[in-house]
Amino acid sequence: MKYRTIGTDPATRREVSALALGAMLFGSVTDERTSFAVLDRYVEAGGTFIDTSDNYAFWVDGGQGGQSEDLLGRWLRSRGVRDELVIATKVGARPLAPGTGYVDNGEGLSAKVIRESAERSRERLGVERIDLLYAHIEDRTVPLAETVGAFGELVAEGTVGLLGASNHAIWRVERARALAAAAGLPGYEVLQYQHSHLRPRSDVPSPLFQDGSLGHAGPELLSYLRAEPDLTLVAYSPLLAGAYVRQDKPLPPDYDHPGTPARLEVLRQVARECGASVNQVVLAWQMGGPFPIIPLAGASSVTQLEENLAAVDLELSQDQRSRLDAAH
């Protein structure tokens, strides 16, 4: 396994594995026995960075989520590996009532919600401190200063380590970080957005966010990361839910444009040259890029996890990387 450092403050920064494991469907779609087996193998291989959220997976049973955190809590208690791991979770997008969603009835990012939701997450996970806590989605009904202050209080109290933001407009991230700096508070240091080798169209709404700019790591975010080397991008859905390799998993509509076939062809060429799978090339391309990207990939079986783990040691040549970057 290879490792990266996230965060800058010696009191909260952590070393994490270069490949993060997504636990979104653990305890719901993926049963407990399989979830435990995947988690065990990930840790055995040196993996240390596990990602969940307080709302995972509310859409499976029409509830409010919490299944993933509950399962991780049971696994952590049974394995005794807490100190070796960095557990990340999120608040802000948990539905307030069963049968509703985060768009029309999400918990939001008020100071009260942040404190109460983080406490419930700690209880489900069975941890004294959440290593990394994200603001899951934007809440423009609450002043940013209130949200920033609430997160800062949790860090000061020692119940949260690092802070992150997911699916926010970049100007909102920058404004929140500026407010935190001016107030002498910790700010967002880890950003989680959807990012893969294929590029979506920004003028077509994504399936999850009506404003297509919010969910994807587009040119503006990548430019921001180059200018702010202390930030880390955690890239969710790097393998597009299997769409690179599975005929039964079509690409989302925002990937329907002339550049997609060209980038797919280069991916397949490089995969043949390396004797690797297309999925492995995508992950290796992210991990070996010019600024820190940590792919966040889920796995519904140990076999699937093994394929992802093998990408950590896949070294792309400069020529291969240049061709992957230039395809359009």
Side-chain angles (χ1 to χ4, degrees), residues 284-327:
W285 173 77
Q286 289 187 325
M287 287 184 278
F291 55 84
I293 295 180
I294 299 176
L296 170 59
S300 59
S301 68
V302 173
T303 299
Q304 195 175 69
L305 175 66
E306 294 287 5
E307 179 184 4
N308 295 344
L309 288 170
V312 175
D313 294 320
L314 177 58
E315 297 287 345
L316 301 177
S317 70
Q318 187 55 55
D319 173 70
Q320 290 169 332
R321 183 168 294 281
S322 296
R323 285 152 52 204
L324 288 165
D325 291 342

Side-chain angles (χ1 to χ4, degrees), residues 149-225:
F151 278 122
E153 286 181 5
L154 296 182
V155 175
E157 293 166 6
T159 56
V160 170
L162 292 162
L163 299 175
S166 180
N167 307 311
H168 284 50
I170 307 310
W171 69 267
R172 298 270 296 177
V173 173
E174 175 59 19
R175 182 170 294 179
R177 295 180 71 227
L179 286 169
L185 297 172
Y188 300 139
E189 295 190 84
V190 184
L191 306 182
Q192 186 175 137
Y193 290 75
Q194 196 282 314
H195 179 62
S196 189
H197 184 256
L198 293 183
R199 298 166 175 165
R201 291 172 55 178
S202 60
D203 61 333
V204 176
S206 76
L208 296 179
F209 302 95
Q210 291 305 304
D211 180 344
S213 68
L214 298 187
H216 294 298
E220 183 182 14
L221 173 56
L222 298 179
S223 175
Y224 184 51
L225 289 165

Side-chain angles (χ1 to χ4, degrees), residues 10-71:
T12 56
R13 69 186 178 202
R14 299 294 300 272
E15 185 179 74
V16 298
S17 51
L19 178 69
L21 177 63
M24 182 171 70
L25 299 180
F26 289 176
S28 54
V29 174
T30 307
D31 63 63
E32 182 160 315
R33 181 179 178 181
T34 303
S35 300
F36 274 36
V38 170
L39 288 160
D40 287 344
R41 176 61 189 126
Y42 177 69
V43 171
E44 180 184 47
T48 64
F49 196 11
I50 301 172
D51 182 273
T52 185
S53 173
D54 69 346
N55 74 338
Y56 292 162
F58 75 87
W59 56 91
V60 172
D61 60 6
Q64 294 173 274
Q67 304 100 309
S68 174
E69 289 183 331
D70 281 335
L71 182 136

Side-chain angles (χ1 to χ4, degrees), residues 90-91 109 133-138 147 151 164-168 188:
K90 311 175 192 75
V91 297
L109 292 172
L133 183 64
Y134 291 98
H136 200 166
I137 60 173
E138 289 189 357
T147 297
F151 278 122
S166 180
N167 307 311
H168 284 50
Y188 300 139

Side-chain angles (χ1 to χ4, degrees), residues 5 10 14 60 74 76 105 109 112 167 193 205 247 251 268 281:
T5 298
R14 299 294 300 272
V60 172
R74 293 193 296 275
L76 285 168
N105 198 32
L109 292 172
K112 181 176 185 292
N167 307 311
Y193 290 75
Q247 294 297 319
L251 287 167
R268 291 165 181 154
V281 172

